[in-house]
Amino acid sequence: MTHRIDWITRAETSADIPAVREIVLAAFDTPLEADLVDALRTDSSWIEGLSIVATDTRGRPVGHALLTRCHIDDVPALCLAPVAVLPEYQGTGAGSAAVRAALEAAKGMGERFVTVLGHPAYYPRFGFTRASAHGIGLTIDVPDEAMMALALDAGHPLPAGTVRYAAPFGI
Protein backbone atom coordinates (compact mmCIF):
# COMPACT_ATOMS: atom_id res chain seq x y z
CA MET A 1 0.00 0.00 0.00
CA THR A 2 1.63 3.24 -1.08
CA HIS A 3 -1.19 5.75 -1.48
CA ARG A 4 -1.88 8.51 1.03
CA ILE A 5 -4.92 8.30 3.28
CA ASP A 6 -6.65 10.89 5.44
CA TRP A 7 -6.00 9.08 8.68
CA ILE A 8 -8.32 9.21 11.65
CA THR A 9 -6.32 9.62 14.82
CA ARG A 10 -7.45 9.33 18.40
CA ALA A 11 -6.21 8.58 21.88
CA GLU A 12 -5.67 4.91 22.60
CA THR A 13 -8.40 3.18 24.59
CA SER A 14 -7.99 0.10 26.76
CA ALA A 15 -9.55 -1.92 23.93
CA ASP A 16 -6.66 -0.84 21.66
CA ILE A 17 -3.87 -2.22 23.87
CA PRO A 18 -3.56 -5.63 22.10
CA ALA A 19 -3.63 -3.95 18.66
CA VAL A 20 -0.98 -1.42 19.71
CA ARG A 21 1.25 -4.24 20.92
CA GLU A 22 0.81 -6.03 17.57
CA ILE A 23 1.65 -2.82 15.67
CA VAL A 24 4.83 -2.28 17.66
CA LEU A 25 5.85 -5.95 17.44
CA ALA A 26 5.36 -5.91 13.65
CA ALA A 27 7.24 -2.64 13.15
CA PHE A 28 10.45 -3.58 15.00
CA ASP A 29 12.88 -6.48 14.72
CA THR A 30 12.69 -7.41 18.42
CA PRO A 31 9.95 -7.23 21.10
CA LEU A 32 11.93 -4.64 23.09
CA GLU A 33 9.85 -1.64 21.94
CA ALA A 34 6.53 -3.45 22.52
CA ASP A 35 7.72 -4.45 25.99
CA LEU A 36 8.75 -0.83 26.58
CA VAL A 37 5.23 0.39 25.75
CA ASP A 38 3.76 -2.16 28.15
CA ALA A 39 6.17 -1.09 30.90
CA LEU A 40 5.46 2.59 30.32
CA ARG A 41 1.70 1.98 30.69
CA THR A 42 2.31 1.08 34.34
CA ASP A 43 4.90 3.82 34.99
CA SER A 44 4.30 7.27 36.47
CA SER A 45 5.61 8.74 33.19
CA TRP A 46 2.42 7.63 31.38
CA ILE A 47 0.06 10.49 30.50
CA GLU A 48 -3.50 9.60 29.55
CA GLY A 49 -4.36 10.91 26.11
CA LEU A 50 -0.81 10.89 24.73
CA SER A 51 -0.81 7.35 23.34
CA ILE A 52 -2.26 7.97 19.88
CA VAL A 53 -3.45 5.54 17.22
CA ALA A 54 -4.08 6.07 13.53
CA THR A 55 -6.91 3.88 12.30
CA ASP A 56 -7.89 2.46 8.95
CA THR A 57 -11.34 2.98 7.42
CA ARG A 58 -12.76 0.21 9.63
CA GLY A 59 -11.45 1.82 12.80
CA ARG A 60 -8.63 -0.71 13.23
CA PRO A 61 -5.42 0.80 14.64
CA VAL A 62 -2.55 0.54 12.14
CA GLY A 63 -0.18 3.20 13.49
CA HIS A 64 0.86 4.37 16.95
CA ALA A 65 2.81 7.22 18.53
CA LEU A 66 3.56 7.54 22.23
CA LEU A 67 4.58 10.53 24.34
CA THR A 68 5.62 9.96 27.95
CA ARG A 69 7.10 12.19 30.62
CA CYS A 70 10.81 12.83 30.67
CA HIS A 71 12.85 15.76 31.96
CA ILE A 72 15.53 18.03 30.58
CA ASP A 73 17.46 18.43 33.81
CA ASP A 74 14.56 19.36 36.12
CA VAL A 75 12.28 20.81 33.41
CA PRO A 76 9.29 18.59 32.51
CA ALA A 77 9.32 17.49 28.88
CA LEU A 78 7.97 14.63 26.80
CA CYS A 79 9.71 11.78 25.04
CA LEU A 80 8.35 10.61 21.67
CA ALA A 81 8.94 6.86 21.52
CA PRO A 82 8.16 4.57 20.00
CA VAL A 83 6.43 5.43 16.75
CA ALA A 84 5.26 2.33 14.91
CA VAL A 85 3.16 1.40 11.87
CA LEU A 86 2.10 -2.00 10.59
CA PRO A 87 4.51 -2.85 7.75
CA GLU A 88 1.78 -2.94 5.09
CA TYR A 89 0.81 0.66 6.00
CA GLN A 90 4.32 2.10 6.24
CA GLY A 91 4.84 5.00 3.84
CA THR A 92 1.14 5.93 3.79
CA GLY A 93 1.28 8.73 6.34
CA ALA A 94 -0.20 6.73 9.24
CA GLY A 95 2.87 7.30 11.41
CA SER A 96 3.04 11.00 10.56
CA ALA A 97 -0.65 11.41 11.36
CA ALA A 98 -0.19 9.73 14.75
CA VAL A 99 2.86 11.89 15.55
CA ARG A 100 1.08 15.12 14.56
CA ALA A 101 -1.96 14.17 16.63
CA ALA A 102 0.23 13.32 19.63
CA LEU A 103 2.07 16.65 19.39
CA GLU A 104 -1.24 18.55 19.09
CA ALA A 105 -2.67 16.69 22.08
CA ALA A 106 0.43 17.51 24.12
CA LYS A 107 0.27 21.16 23.14
CA GLY A 108 -3.40 21.20 24.10
CA MET A 109 -2.44 19.89 27.54
CA GLY A 110 0.00 22.76 28.01
CA GLU A 111 3.14 20.71 27.42
CA ARG A 112 6.07 22.71 26.10
CA PHE A 113 8.94 20.44 25.07
CA VAL A 114 9.38 17.12 23.27
CA THR A 115 12.51 15.06 22.69
CA VAL A 116 13.03 12.19 20.29
CA LEU A 117 15.88 9.80 19.62
CA GLY A 118 15.17 8.72 16.09
CA HIS A 119 15.83 8.86 12.39
CA PRO A 120 17.27 12.28 11.47
CA ALA A 121 15.56 12.29 8.07
CA TYR A 122 12.08 11.62 9.50
CA TYR A 123 11.48 13.79 12.56
CA PRO A 124 12.46 17.25 11.22
CA ARG A 125 9.19 17.27 9.21
CA PHE A 126 7.43 17.82 12.57
CA GLY A 127 9.73 20.67 13.59
CA PHE A 128 12.34 18.68 15.51
CA THR A 129 15.90 20.02 15.37
CA ARG A 130 19.23 18.72 16.60
CA ALA A 131 19.09 18.75 20.41
CA SER A 132 22.77 19.58 20.80
CA ALA A 133 22.14 22.94 19.08
CA HIS A 134 20.04 23.81 22.14
CA GLY A 135 22.51 22.43 24.67
CA ILE A 136 20.48 19.25 25.20
CA GLY A 137 22.28 15.94 25.59
CA LEU A 138 22.06 12.42 26.95
CA THR A 139 24.08 10.37 29.42
CA ILE A 140 24.76 7.78 26.70
CA ASP A 141 26.54 8.09 23.37
CA VAL A 142 24.17 8.40 20.41
CA PRO A 143 24.69 9.91 16.96
CA ASP A 144 24.34 13.67 17.42
CA GLU A 145 21.91 14.02 14.52
CA ALA A 146 19.60 11.34 16.00
CA MET A 147 18.86 13.23 19.25
CA MET A 148 16.31 15.93 18.49
CA ALA A 149 14.04 18.30 20.39
CA LEU A 150 11.01 20.48 19.72
CA ALA A 151 9.47 23.44 21.53
CA LEU A 152 5.67 23.20 21.23
CA ASP A 153 5.29 26.86 22.22
CA ALA A 154 7.48 29.46 20.52
CA GLY A 155 7.18 31.62 23.64
CA HIS A 156 9.15 29.04 25.62
CA PRO A 157 12.51 28.15 24.05
CA LEU A 158 14.00 24.74 24.69
CA PRO A 159 15.96 24.51 27.95
CA ALA A 160 19.53 23.26 27.95
CA GLY A 161 20.36 20.19 29.98
CA THR A 162 20.52 16.42 30.07
CA VAL A 163 17.47 14.37 29.13
CA ARG A 164 16.30 12.03 31.89
CA TYR A 165 14.02 9.33 30.57
CA ALA A 166 11.42 7.34 32.50
CA ALA A 167 12.85 4.28 34.23
CA PRO A 168 11.46 1.72 31.72
CA PHE A 169 13.79 3.18 29.04
CA GLY A 170 16.79 1.99 31.06
CA ILE A 171 18.79 5.13 30.20
Side-chain angles (χ1 to χ4, degrees), residues 61-108:
V62 300
H64 177 251
L66 178 60
L67 290 167
T68 53
R69 176 68 62 218
C70 70
H71 290 82
I72 302 171
D73 281 348
D74 291 328
V75 177
L78 297 172
C79 169
L80 174 59
V83 174
V85 177
L86 288 174
E88 62 268 30
Y89 288 92
Q90 291 175 3
T92 65
S96 291
V99 169
R100 284 189 182 93
L103 294 173
E104 281 301 312
K107 188 175 182 178

Coordinates of all heavy atoms in Angstrom, one line a residue, residues 61-108:
P61 N -6.7 0.1 14.5 CA -5.4 0.8 14.6 C -4.4 0.2 13.8 O -4.2 -1.1 13.8 CB -5.1 0.6 16.1 CG -6.4 0.4 16.8 CD -7.2 -0.4 15.8
V62 N -3.6 1.0 13.0 CA -2.6 0.5 12.1 C -1.3 1.3 12.4 O -0.2 0.9 12.0 CB -2.9 0.6 10.6 CG1 -4.1 -0.2 10.3 CG2 -3.1 2.1 10.2
G63 N -1.4 2.4 13.1 CA -0.2 3.2 13.5 C -0.3 3.7 14.9 O -1.4 3.8 15.5
H64 N 0.8 4.0 15.5 CA 0.9 4.4 16.9 C 2.0 5.3 17.2 O 3.1 5.2 16.7 CB 1.0 3.1 17.8 CG 1.1 3.4 19.3 ND1 2.3 3.2 20.0 CD2 0.2 3.8 20.2 CE1 2.1 3.5 21.2 NE2 0.8 3.9 21.4
A65 N 1.8 6.3 18.0 CA 2.8 7.2 18.5 C 2.6 7.4 20.0 O 1.4 7.6 20.4 CB 2.8 8.6 17.8
L66 N 3.7 7.4 20.8 CA 3.6 7.5 22.2 C 4.4 8.7 22.8 O 5.6 8.8 22.4 CB 4.0 6.2 22.9 CG 4.0 6.2 24.4 CD1 2.6 6.5 25.0 CD2 4.5 4.9 24.9
L67 N 3.9 9.5 23.6 CA 4.6 10.5 24.3 C 4.5 10.2 25.8 O 3.4 10.0 26.3 CB 4.0 11.9 24.1 CG 4.2 12.5 22.7 CD1 3.3 13.7 22.5 CD2 5.6 12.9 22.5
T68 N 5.6 10.2 26.5 CA 5.6 10.0 28.0 C 6.5 11.0 28.6 O 7.3 11.7 27.9 CB 6.1 8.6 28.3 OG1 7.4 8.3 27.7 CG2 5.1 7.5 27.9
R69 N 6.4 11.2 29.9 CA 7.1 12.2 30.6 C 8.6 11.9 30.7 O 9.0 10.7 30.9 CB 6.6 12.3 32.1 CG 7.3 13.2 33.0 CD 7.2 14.7 32.6 NE 5.8 15.1 32.7 CZ 5.2 16.0 31.9 NH1 5.9 16.5 30.9 NH2 4.0 16.3 32.0
C70 N 9.4 12.9 30.4 CA 10.8 12.8 30.7 C 11.2 14.2 31.2 O 10.3 15.0 31.5 CB 11.6 12.5 29.4 SG 11.7 13.8 28.1
H71 N 12.4 14.5 31.5 CA 12.8 15.8 32.0 C 14.1 16.2 31.2 O 14.9 15.3 30.8 CB 13.1 15.7 33.5 CG 11.9 15.6 34.3 ND1 11.3 14.3 34.5 CD2 11.1 16.5 34.9 CE1 10.2 14.5 35.2 NE2 10.0 15.8 35.5
I72 N 14.3 17.5 31.0 CA 15.5 18.0 30.6 C 16.1 18.7 31.8 O 15.6 19.8 32.2 CB 15.3 19.0 29.4 CG1 14.6 18.3 28.2 CG2 16.7 19.6 29.0 CD1 14.2 19.2 27.1
D73 N 17.1 18.1 32.4 CA 17.5 18.4 33.8 C 16.2 18.3 34.7 O 15.6 17.3 34.7 CB 18.2 19.8 33.9 CG 19.6 19.7 33.5 OD1 20.2 18.5 33.3 OD2 20.3 20.7 33.3
D74 N 15.8 19.4 35.3 CA 14.6 19.4 36.1 C 13.3 19.9 35.4 O 12.2 20.0 36.0 CB 14.8 20.1 37.4 CG 15.8 19.4 38.3 OD1 15.9 18.2 38.3 OD2 16.5 20.1 39.0
V75 N 13.4 20.2 34.1 CA 12.3 20.8 33.4 C 11.4 19.7 32.8 O 12.0 18.8 32.1 CB 12.8 21.8 32.3 CG1 11.6 22.3 31.5 CG2 13.6 22.9 32.9
P76 N 10.1 19.6 33.1 CA 9.3 18.6 32.5 C 9.3 18.7 31.0 O 9.2 19.8 30.4 CB 7.9 18.9 33.1 CG 8.1 19.7 34.3 CD 9.4 20.5 34.0
A77 N 9.4 17.6 30.3 CA 9.3 17.5 28.9 C 8.6 16.2 28.5 O 8.2 15.4 29.4 CB 10.7 17.6 28.3
L78 N 8.5 15.9 27.3 CA 8.0 14.6 26.8 C 9.0 13.9 25.9 O 9.8 14.6 25.2 CB 6.7 14.9 26.0 CG 5.5 15.5 26.8 CD1 4.4 15.9 25.9 CD2 5.1 14.5 27.9
C79 N 8.9 12.6 25.9 CA 9.7 11.8 25.0 C 8.8 11.1 24.0 O 7.8 10.5 24.4 CB 10.4 10.7 25.9 SG 11.2 9.4 24.9
L80 N 9.1 11.3 22.7 CA 8.3 10.6 21.7 C 9.0 9.3 21.4 O 10.1 9.2 20.8 CB 8.3 11.5 20.4 CG 7.7 10.9 19.2 CD1 6.2 10.5 19.4 CD2 7.8 11.9 18.0
A81 N 8.4 8.2 21.8 CA 8.9 6.9 21.5 C 8.0 5.8 22.1 O 7.6 6.0 23.3 CB 10.4 6.7 22.1
P82 N 7.8 4.7 21.4 CA 8.2 4.6 20.0 C 7.1 5.1 19.1 O 6.0 5.4 19.5 CB 8.3 3.1 19.9 CG 7.3 2.5 20.9 CD 7.3 3.5 22.0
V83 N 7.4 5.2 17.8 CA 6.4 5.4 16.8 C 6.5 4.2 15.9 O 7.5 3.7 15.5 CB 6.8 6.7 15.9 CG1 5.9 6.8 14.7 CG2 6.8 7.9 16.8
A84 N 5.3 3.6 15.6 CA 5.3 2.3 14.9 C 4.1 2.3 14.0 O 3.0 2.8 14.3 CB 5.2 1.2 15.9
V85 N 4.2 1.6 12.9 CA 3.2 1.4 11.9 C 3.2 0.0 11.4 O 4.4 -0.6 11.1 CB 3.3 2.4 10.7 CG1 2.3 2.2 9.6 CG2 3.3 3.8 11.2
L86 N 2.1 -0.7 11.2 CA 2.1 -2.0 10.6 C 2.8 -1.9 9.3 O 2.7 -1.0 8.5 CB 0.7 -2.5 10.3 CG -0.1 -2.9 11.6 CD1 -1.6 -3.2 11.2 CD2 0.5 -4.1 12.3
P87 N 3.7 -2.9 9.0 CA 4.5 -2.8 7.7 C 3.7 -2.6 6.5 O 4.2 -1.8 5.6 CB 5.2 -4.2 7.7 CG 5.3 -4.6 9.1 CD 4.0 -4.1 9.8
E88 N 2.5 -3.1 6.3 CA 1.8 -2.9 5.1 C 1.2 -1.5 5.0 O 0.8 -1.1 3.9 CB 0.7 -4.0 5.0 CG -0.4 -3.9 6.0 CD -0.1 -4.8 7.2 OE1 1.1 -5.1 7.6 OE2 -1.1 -5.3 7.8
Y89 N 1.3 -0.7 6.0 CA 0.8 0.7 6.0 C 1.9 1.7 6.1 O 1.7 2.9 6.1 CB -0.2 0.9 7.1 CG -1.5 0.2 6.9 CD1 -1.8 -1.0 7.4 CD2 -2.5 0.9 6.2 CE1 -3.0 -1.7 7.2 CE2 -3.7 0.3 6.0 CZ -4.0 -1.0 6.5 OH -5.2 -1.6 6.3
Q90 N 3.2 1.2 6.2 CA 4.3 2.1 6.2 C 4.4 2.9 4.9 O 4.2 2.3 3.9 CB 5.6 1.4 6.6 CG 5.6 0.8 8.0 CD 6.8 0.0 8.3 OE1 7.7 -0.2 7.6 NE2 6.8 -0.5 9.6
G91 N 4.7 4.1 5.0 CA 4.8 5.0 3.8 C 3.5 5.6 3.4 O 3.5 6.3 2.4
T92 N 2.5 5.4 4.2 CA 1.1 5.9 3.8 C 0.8 7.2 4.6 O -0.3 7.7 4.3 CB 0.0 4.9 4.0 OG1 -0.1 4.6 5.4 CG2 0.3 3.6 3.2
G93 N 1.6 7.6 5.5 CA 1.3 8.7 6.3 C 0.6 8.4 7.7 O 0.3 9.3 8.5
A94 N 0.4 7.1 8.0 CA -0.2 6.7 9.2 C 0.7 7.1 10.4 O 0.2 7.7 11.4 CB -0.5 5.2 9.3
G95 N 2.0 6.9 10.3 CA 2.9 7.3 11.4 C 2.9 8.8 11.6 O 2.9 9.3 12.7
S96 N 3.0 9.5 10.5 CA 3.0 11.0 10.6 C 1.8 11.5 11.2 O 1.8 12.5 12.0 CB 3.2 11.6 9.2 OG 4.5 11.3 8.7
A97 N 0.6 11.0 10.8 CA -0.7 11.4 11.4 C -0.7 11.2 12.9 O -1.1 12.1 13.6 CB -1.8 10.7 10.7
A98 N -0.2 10.0 13.3 CA -0.2 9.7 14.8 C 0.7 10.7 15.5 O 0.4 11.2 16.6 CB 0.2 8.3 15.0
V99 N 1.9 11.0 14.9 CA 2.9 11.9 15.6 C 2.3 13.3 15.6 O 2.3 13.9 16.7 CB 4.2 11.9 14.8 CG1 5.1 13.1 15.3 CG2 4.9 10.6 14.9
R100 N 1.7 13.8 14.5 CA 1.1 15.1 14.6 C 0.0 15.2 15.6 O -0.2 16.2 16.3 CB 0.6 15.5 13.2 CG 1.7 15.9 12.2 CD 1.2 16.5 10.9 NE 2.3 16.8 10.0 CZ 2.8 15.9 9.1 NH1 2.2 14.7 9.0 NH2 3.8 16.3 8.4
A101 N -0.9 14.2 15.7 CA -2.0 14.2 16.6 C -1.4 14.1 18.1 O -2.0 14.8 18.9 CB -2.9 13.0 16.4
A102 N -0.4 13.4 18.3 CA 0.2 13.3 19.6 C 0.8 14.7 20.0 O 0.6 15.2 21.2 CB 1.3 12.2 19.7
L103 N 1.5 15.3 19.1 CA 2.1 16.6 19.4 C 1.0 17.7 19.6 O 1.1 18.5 20.6 CB 3.0 17.1 18.2 CG 4.3 16.3 18.0 CD1 5.0 16.7 16.8 CD2 5.1 16.3 19.3
E104 N -0.1 17.6 18.9 CA -1.2 18.6 19.1 C -1.9 18.3 20.4 O -2.3 19.2 21.1 CB -2.3 18.4 18.0 CG -1.8 19.2 16.7 CD -1.6 20.7 16.9 OE1 -2.5 21.3 17.5 OE2 -0.6 21.2 16.5
A105 N -2.1 17.0 20.8 CA -2.7 16.7 22.1 C -1.8 17.2 23.2 O -2.3 17.8 24.2 CB -2.9 15.2 22.2
A106 N -0.5 17.0 23.1 CA 0.4 17.5 24.1 C 0.4 19.0 24.2 O 0.3 19.6 25.4 CB 1.9 17.1 23.8
K107 N 0.4 19.7 23.1 CA 0.3 21.2 23.1 C -1.0 21.6 23.8 O -1.1 22.5 24.6 CB 0.4 21.7 21.7 CG 0.5 23.2 21.6 CD 0.7 23.7 20.2 CE 0.8 25.2 20.1 NZ 1.1 25.6 18.8
G108 N -2.1 20.9 23.5 CA -3.4 21.2 24.1 C -3.4 21.0 25.6 O -4.3 21.6 26.3

